[in-house]
Amino acid sequence: MNPIFKHGPAPQHRLILVLLCSAALIFFDHKMNSFESARGFLQSMVSPLQYLATAPKQMMNWAAENIVTRRQLIDDNEQYKINELVFHEQALQLDIVKRENNRLRALLASPVRSDAKKMVAEILAVDSDPYTHQVVINRGANDGVYEGQAVIDDEGIVGQILHVGTTSSRVLLITDVTHAVPVRISRNGLRLIASGVGVIDRLTHNHVPHSSDIRIGDLLVTSGLGSKFPEGYPVAKVSSVIQDESRAFSQIQSQPVAKIDRLRYVLLLWPEQPNEQQPIAAESLPNKKAEKQ
């Protein structure tokens, strides 16, 4: 219903008044900066809203940057561990070459021991049976792994491959009661057998005569007999020597040099191919022939 009486100015008059006020405000603001303080006050009131509006984007950028950086650090750390393991194995190979060099110095035609084929593997699981010492690695038949293959870490011999699957394999550790390694004392070449006793930090050596020259601290390395483990790799250090004349043999115990209870990565070794080495005259190596026989 339309009112009978209309109050107030006409719309045309209102428009003219608004335009005049706008022009006056523009003039005073431009020429006299009359509203500078008011503008600053309003800007201060609006600033918190601007921070709130940009906060989600800043949080997403921060989260994305930190997650990527942490993932990169984890990847770099894993790569550094693998590189360290390979470098330690190379150092073991160099030590072996140095010891062999004295015997082969006169044989100018003999080659330096070539680098064996090797592959890094990661521990997937540890056998929960307290009477067996076995672990599972993430390498299998697809990677060329075979039963009886030597397994080492950055310190020395860990064990050998027991069962091979398509993508994983089971490793029998040297501390298992069913495992034995032919070894020799690095100091004098005396040959022994290192047998597991089911304890993670202990090996035993049976049938050792009382006259054997064995001392606490002697380093035991693989002898190469049995063709399971390459010659010269560290196995254990003698920790106990008991020569009781009432017993038929000395009681010898040693501690593995490999970190059996802290394994994460291991190295799989392949035997050197015969065609990778130059032939050496049989008459030049009588000791070698005797050892192989």
Side-chain angles (χ1 to χ4, degrees), residues 230-269:
E231 181 184 0
Y233 280 83
V235 177
K237 287 186 176 181
V238 177
S239 59
S240 174
V241 178
I242 300 176
Q243 294 179 335
D244 186 357
E245 296 297 336
S246 63
R247 297 176 177 268
F249 299 99
S250 299
Q251 295 176 307
I252 311 297
Q253 293 183 349
S254 62
Q255 183 175 4
V257 297
K259 304 179 183 70
I260 302 296
D261 57 342
R262 288 173 286 175
L263 294 175
R264 176 67 186 278
Y265 295 99
V266 295
L267 279 177
L268 304 176
L269 299 181

Side-chain angles (χ1 to χ4, degrees), residues 271-288:
E272 297 178 0
Q273 299 298 326
N275 56 3
E276 291 181 358
Q277 297 184 348
Q278 299 176 4
I280 301 176
E283 60 271 18
S284 300
L285 289 176
N287 294 336
K288 286 281 187 178

